[in-house]
Amino acid sequence: MRVLGIETSCDETGVALFDSERGLLGDALYSQVDMHAEYGGVVPELASRDHVRKLIPLIREVLAESGQTLSDIDAIAYTAGPGLIGALMVGASTGRALALSLGIPAIAVHHMEGHLLAPMLEETPPEFPFVALLVSGGHTQLVQVDGIGQYSLLGESLDDAAGEAFDKAAKMLGLDYPGGPLIAKLATTGDRSRFTFPRPMTDRPGLDFSFSGLKTFTLNTVNAHRDEAGEIDPQTLADIAAAFEEAVVDTLAIKCRRALQQTGYRQLVIAGGVSANARLREKLAVVVEKERSKLFYARPKFCTDNGAMIAYAGCQRLLAGQQSDLTILARPRWPMDTLPPL
């Protein structure tokens, strides 16, 4: 089965063609980062308009790359949520229209299920069951995964997601949007031991997260080190970035270890944009070694939003006989534990 995947949940337009027998045939991604950087964050209306402008050209690009035509597509998978409603509507309406015109089935895919299954695109994928850390700009969750659609939420952020905290901390440091990769880059030149930042909610039992207090601590540290002109010397900025990153990844690693111990599972999957963070991968490599477990993650280009993960996730559900009706489905909020199992 050849499935065309469409991803338009936020500020990246992703398209891919996945073959259930041959694997990924082609994928393309257009990022709106440069456009939104001017505003310091994603502007929903601009995101929607840019998806309209880029989606059809990207579909044509992927078909050309894979040597296929529209008539070779067996089904359409599109992101239906969670995400920005306008952006979701662009992908959902395009996917449904294509499916209707071609007389093929379509399926609405959960964005975070796509992320969760992205490591399955690698040469050595994880096997069920496993613990998954879904960590991005909009989500920070620990999930017990017993199979596709068999998800039990173990813990989540009670306020900001880790990726959102990275972006906000970057703004405090005067860095551009998106802030996560820029903080990680700056942190490589910083002294991680100069400042001691808190590890939120690690001094109590449970698997929930909270990063709002860490943001406040970061802001206070930044303000305390401004000179009379309101400036901060570059090395201090790097040291704060390093301390902030260390606090976030330590917190995530501590909770991941607890989740492995609680479930007794021996596989840990990390997915979402923040899973590309090199320091987080280093910390979790230590965790799985101590727990005699294995760590899995997608290659960097499949950590952020992309069409390949949607095509793969949709293909698995289509092969199991699931498909969506003619409704153009878009859900800004969509709990993953409401998804049907295969």
Side-chain angles (χ1 to χ4, degrees):
M1 175 179 281
R2 287 181 293 275
V3 179
L4 183 73
I6 297 173
E7 158 60 30
T8 63
S9 65
C10 191
D11 62 338
E12 286 163 320
T13 314
V15 177
L17 188 62
F18 180 82
D19 188 300
S20 57
E21 296 183 357
R22 298 165 56 195
L24 190 63
L25 302 181
D27 72 282
L29 182 72
Y30 177 77
S31 176
Q32 304 173 4
V33 164
D34 291 342
M35 177 178 65
H36 295 294
E38 180 181 350
Y39 303 95
V42 177
V43 181
E45 180 60 25
L46 294 181
S48 303
R49 292 180 183 183
D50 218 42
H51 287 311
V52 172
R53 185 170 65 93
K54 285 292 183 179
L55 187 51
I56 296 302
L58 284 178
I59 291 174
R60 290 171 176 159
E61 179 182 332
V62 167
L63 290 175
E65 176 191 346
S66 57
Q68 307 291 308
T69 66
L70 285 174
S71 61
D72 295 316
I73 299 172
D74 297 311
I76 307 286
Y78 63 89
T79 301
L84 303 175
I85 183 62
L88 291 169
M89 286 296 294
V90 175
S93 58
T94 303
R96 272 263 46 117
L98 271 175
L100 185 61
S101 66
L102 296 171
I104 58 177
I107 190 161
V109 174
H110 192 289
H111 178 73
M112 295 311 295
E113 181 171 71
H115 274 305
L116 187 150
L117 297 177
M120 300 293 186
L121 293 165
E122 303 304 314
E123 288 187 10
T124 307
E127 297 179 356
F128 300 110
F130 54 79
V131 170
L133 172 66
L134 301 177
V135 56
S136 65
H139 299 81
T140 300
Q141 298 177 327
L142 275 167
V143 183
Q144 176 179 315
V145 181
D146 294 308
I148 296 178
Q150 300 177 50
Y151 310 130
S152 300
L153 183 64
L154 300 174
E156 62 184 339
S157 179
L158 304 180
D159 39 59
D160 290 350
E164 183 180 3
F166 265 107
D167 288 340
K168 291 180 177 177
K171 194 170 184 178
M172 298 173 195
L173 295 174
L175 302 176
D176 291 333
Y177 172 86
L182 296 178
I183 280 191
K185 182 178 180 180
L186 184 59
T188 60
T189 63
D191 179 359
R192 300 180 188 277
S193 63
R194 178 178 172 185
F195 298 105
T196 302
F197 279 34
R199 274 58 173 165
M201 296 184 70
T202 58
D203 59 349
R204 68 190 76 174
L207 295 172
D208 286 330
F209 304 89
S210 172
F211 295 105
S212 59
L214 184 58
K215 289 189 311 176
T216 302
F217 192 94
T218 303
L219 181 60
N220 291 338
T221 304
V222 169
N223 290 336
H225 289 81
R226 296 187 186 277
D227 59 24
E228 293 181 356
E231 302 296 325
I232 305 177
D233 71 87
Q235 186 57 54
T236 297
L237 282 176
D239 295 345
I240 294 174
F244 174 83
E245 180 186 49
E246 198 76 354
V248 172
V249 300
D250 270 350
T251 301
L252 295 172
I254 290 168
K255 295 301 178 82
C256 283
R257 188 174 188 184
R258 287 183 187 175
L260 288 171
Q261 293 172 342
Q262 178 177 310
T263 60
Y265 291 173
R266 289 292 172 260
Q267 295 184 104
L268 175 64
V269 168
I270 55 172
V274 182
S275 69
N277 182 281
R279 188 61 176 166
L280 176 61
R281 293 184 177 190
E282 290 176 13
K283 290 279 185 176
L284 291 179
V286 174
V287 166
V288 296
E289 182 179 4
K290 290 180 178 178
E291 294 300 317
R292 298 181 181 179
S293 304
K294 293 182 179 180
L295 179 64
F296 299 87
Y297 43 75
R299 71 198 80 167
K301 74 173 185 175
F302 292 151
C303 290
T304 55
D305 295 351
N306 63 87
M309 67 183 192
I310 302 304
Y312 178 85
C315 184
Q316 305 316 302
R317 291 191 171 275
L318 287 159
L319 288 172
Q322 297 180 14
Q323 67 181 69
S324 301
D325 58 24
L326 293 177
T327 304
I328 297 176
L329 183 63
R331 295 180 177 177
R333 298 183 183 277
W334 189 5
M336 196 167 68
D337 56 8
T338 64
L339 295 175
L342 295 191

